[in-house]
Amino acid sequence: MKIYNTLTRKKEEFVPIEEGTAKIYVCGPTVYNYFHIGNARPFVVFDTLRKYLQYRGYKVKFVQNFTDVDDKIINRAREEHLTAKEVSEKYIEEYYKDAAALNVTKADVHPRVSEHIPEIIEFVQTLIDKGYAYEVNGDVYFSTRKFNGYGKLSGQNIEDLESGARIAVGEIKEDPLDFALWKAQKEEDEIAWDCPWGKGRPGWHIECSAMSKKHLGDTIDIHAGGQDLQFPHHENEIAQSECCNGVPFANYWMHNGYITIDNEKMSKSKGNFFTVRDILKEYDGEVMRFFLLSGHYRNPINFSDSLMEQAKAGLGRMRNAKETLKHLIANGNGEMTDAEKEALAGYDKYRQEFISAMDDDLNTADAISAIFELITVINTAVRDGASREFAEKSLDTLMELASIVGLLQQDADKAVDDDIQALVDERQEARKAKNFARADEIRDMLKARGITLKDTPQGVQIIRE
């Protein structure tokens, strides 16, 4: 497998530190609200990376943090008259609900900042002891210029950064480029912990370095997140981690592209800010996942109603293929024909196309195209019915590939209401009586209700749109 490494700006063969094992850290949400469609993209993309590596035989250790100590959480707690812990606990549970709707599997570890304060304090103290950090009035800052490799991930250089650097009100830094590792408590209602520098809390960047070190070790295989995190978050993680540990922090860096809304940057002020919870009111989670994987993860992707409708239609085609095969399994019989055996033998071509696409820097767009090619072949083979064995083996292949990209995992509600079943039965009786006008009328009535009837040698298949 080749991965585009942001650090080297080229595709590189994935060679893990430990053969057969992949250690991955993905930046998770700051839990003060429902996560939005922009957050959803890295969650879905890197969940797919995990699933694919597992399919290829890797033992994956996947860590995704929850930032539960942050100014935004403190502000939300003040607004809602709750504690910071109550706010973060609420939105962690809401994250799990929305992530599950997107078929995102829980990480092996979901570390929280609040549960790693001792490790963070030790990390910061090590940086002070090594001369890479200093304390001022309870705040601790990292000396950015002391790390020679600063800017190597984002392509920034010190001179450009220096011209735009500013010192915020209340900060006492030796250099405008320095960033906070630890913040002294300013207000009594701020969440804070005792430490060698007085009461305070971690800065934003230090948390991921400390939690990655604890759960994955000093050097990890892959660190991933959204493109917006390249600078300053990931750049600062590299600086503090490599100064603390004395070894490279991550061998591969993966970043997904931005999401625009109707070709405009998403912004609350523009009124085009959508949480996943909002979108789930209109589309199911698998449609959203299909949409997010329909383009290459490094490219920008545009969110719009028309594109979501296209995703819905595409996923609908996949679901219909699955339901057709399930119908044949339930109602078919007989042994496979020679033609069916030949068709099955040809499926490996599409499996290999799928693998080649995924091996090429996780090209989910081409991988999904390979699934559709497989579906076309399956649909042609079963147009006039099929044996149960052929349908079973076809479904196995379809589900094998679809599960890697996290699709077709949810069974849509296929329950047939009594009144619908009564119409289906009436139509069958009308056809037997050669009353084709009534049969067609019933078919049109059901079509208007989003139900298509497909007549097969194995009986009538009911397909919901």
Side-chain angles (χ1 to χ4, degrees):
M1 183 180 188
K2 289 191 174 181
I3 291 173
Y4 182 85
N5 189 350
T6 309
L7 187 64
T8 60
R9 286 162 180 73
K10 62 183 180 181
K11 288 183 185 178
E12 299 176 352
E13 183 181 354
F14 176 59
V15 180
I17 299 164
E18 180 184 342
E19 187 176 356
T21 299
K23 295 186 288 185
I24 303 174
Y25 188 98
V26 177
C27 289
T30 300
V31 284
Y32 72 101
N33 201 348
Y34 302 106
F35 67 86
H36 57 70
I37 184 67
N39 302 137
R41 193 176 193 191
F43 301 158
V44 166
V45 164
F46 300 118
D47 173 73
T48 304
L49 172 68
R50 176 195 193 182
K51 286 177 167 63
Y52 182 64
L53 289 174
Q54 289 173 329
Y55 172 75
R56 296 289 272 161
Y58 287 91
K59 179 182 178 183
V60 180
K61 179 73 178 291
F62 192 90
V63 178
Q64 180 182 292
N65 70 296
F66 287 125
T67 297
D68 64 345
V69 179
D70 187 86
D71 289 341
K72 293 175 182 176
I73 296 171
I74 293 170
N75 292 336
R76 178 58 63 92
R78 288 169 178 161
E79 291 170 6
E80 298 187 6
H81 305 291
L82 299 171
T83 65
K85 182 176 177 60
E86 287 171 333
V87 169
S88 60
E89 288 292 338
K90 171 184 175 181
Y91 287 108
I92 285 172
E93 289 307 309
E94 299 304 330
Y95 165 86
Y96 283 134
K97 292 176 186 176
D98 290 346
L102 298 173
N103 293 344
V104 172
T105 305
K106 284 187 177 181
D108 295 305
V109 185
H110 276 293
R112 305 180 188 193
V113 180
S114 61
E115 296 173 350
H116 291 74
I117 299 302
E119 290 84 359
I120 292 171
I121 291 173
E122 181 182 0
F123 201 110
V124 174
Q125 187 62 59
T126 299
L127 288 171
I128 293 174
D129 293 343
K130 287 188 170 186
Y132 291 108
Y134 57 93
E135 181 265 336
V136 181
N137 296 339
D139 293 330
V140 180
Y141 296 100
F142 181 84
S143 297
T144 300
R145 291 182 193 274
K146 290 187 178 180
F147 178 59
N148 292 330
Y150 196 79
K152 63 183 178 181
L153 178 69
S154 59
Q156 309 265 13
N157 64 65
I158 289 290
E159 288 73 21
D160 291 341
L161 292 171
E162 186 177 20
S163 64
R166 299 289 184 272
I167 297 179
V169 176
E171 288 187 323
I172 307 174
K173 298 192 290 188
E174 294 177 356
D175 190 308
L177 293 178
D178 297 348
F179 59 89
L181 301 172
W182 189 268
K183 297 180 179 180
Q185 186 182 36
K186 303 295 190 293
E187 304 287 342
E188 285 189 8
D189 65 343
E190 288 182 5
I191 187 169
W193 290 267
D194 291 320
C195 71
W197 321 289
K199 248 181 157 32
R201 57 189 168 89
W204 174 31
H205 314 297
I206 194 69
E207 64 185 69
C208 290
S209 288
M211 291 188 288
S212 178
K213 177 182 174 71
K214 177 176 180 179
H215 296 286
L216 296 174
D218 290 352
T219 302
I220 65 175
D221 292 304
I222 300 171
H223 196 313
Q227 183 180 339
D228 57 310
L229 297 180
Q230 279 186 44
F231 186 87
H233 185 51
H234 288 165
E235 198 72 73
N236 291 351
E237 280 187 64
I238 290 174
Q240 64 203 10
S241 291
E242 297 190 359
C243 288
C244 177
N245 303 324
V247 292
F249 179 33
N251 288 337
Y252 302 87
W253 287 83
M254 298 179 72
H255 294 93
N256 63 271
Y258 292 112
I259 288 185
T260 56
I261 309 296
D262 292 321
N263 294 310
E264 290 192 353
K265 185 177 179 180
M266 185 167 60
S267 168
K268 287 182 179 179
S269 62
K270 291 181 179 179
N272 66 352
F273 182 91
F274 297 105
T275 67
V276 166
R277 186 65 56 90
D278 293 332
I279 300 168
L280 287 172
K281 295 173 184 175
E282 301 294 329
Y283 301 96
D284 75 51
E286 280 203 344
V287 171
M288 208 180 314
R289 185 176 182 110
F290 183 101
F291 163 74
L292 291 169
L293 295 178
S294 60
H296 194 283
Y297 78 91
R298 286 193 288 114
N299 294 335
I301 190 171
N302 185 50
F303 176 88
S304 68
D305 286 336
S306 62
L307 291 172
M308 285 296 288
E309 287 297 326
Q310 289 178 30
K312 182 179 178 180
L315 182 62
R317 185 182 168 205
M318 293 178 70
R319 285 175 167 170
N320 286 341
K322 176 184 175 182
E323 291 306 313
T324 295
L325 293 171
K326 288 173 68 177
H327 174 77
L328 292 169
I329 291 168
N331 300 284
N333 51 46
E335 296 182 356
M336 280 200 296
T337 65
D338 290 340
E340 287 178 338
K341 291 176 182 177
E342 185 178 346
L344 276 179
Y347 287 177
D348 193 56
K349 170 189 175 184
Y350 307 104
R351 180 184 289 107
Q352 291 306 315
E353 285 182 4
F354 179 95
I355 290 171
S356 294
M358 295 293 277
D359 275 351
D360 183 15
D361 192 31
L362 203 71
N363 190 337
T364 55
D366 285 357
I368 289 172
S369 293
I371 295 176
F372 279 121
E373 289 180 31
L374 172 66
I375 287 172
T376 297
V377 173
I378 290 174
N379 287 343
T380 301
V382 304
R383 184 173 295 149
D384 299 318
S387 67
R388 178 180 288 121
E389 184 180 1
F390 178 77
E392 287 174 343
K393 292 183 181 299
S394 296
L395 182 60
D396 286 345
T397 303
L398 174 60
M399 294 305 296
E400 172 192 334
L401 301 185
S403 65
I404 298 167
V405 287
L407 299 174
L408 299 185
Q409 305 306 293
Q410 300 172 9
D411 281 321
D413 182 11
K414 297 295 178 181
V416 178
D417 298 335
D418 290 342
D419 62 330
I420 291 174
Q421 187 62 57
L423 286 170
V424 173
D425 293 341
E426 183 186 345
R427 175 178 174 273
Q428 290 302 93
E429 291 301 319
R431 293 183 77 217
K432 287 179 183 178
K434 300 190 182 305
N435 185 355
F436 298 116
R438 177 57 179 164
D440 290 345
E441 183 183 5
I442 292 172
R443 179 191 283 270
D444 292 341
M445 289 168 58
L446 292 172
K447 184 71 174 176
R449 296 171 67 170
I451 295 169
T452 300
L453 300 183
K454 181 179 179 182
D455 295 309
T456 76
Q458 290 76 25
V460 179
Q461 181 185 353
I462 300 172
I463 301 173
R464 290 183 181 273
E465 294 180 2

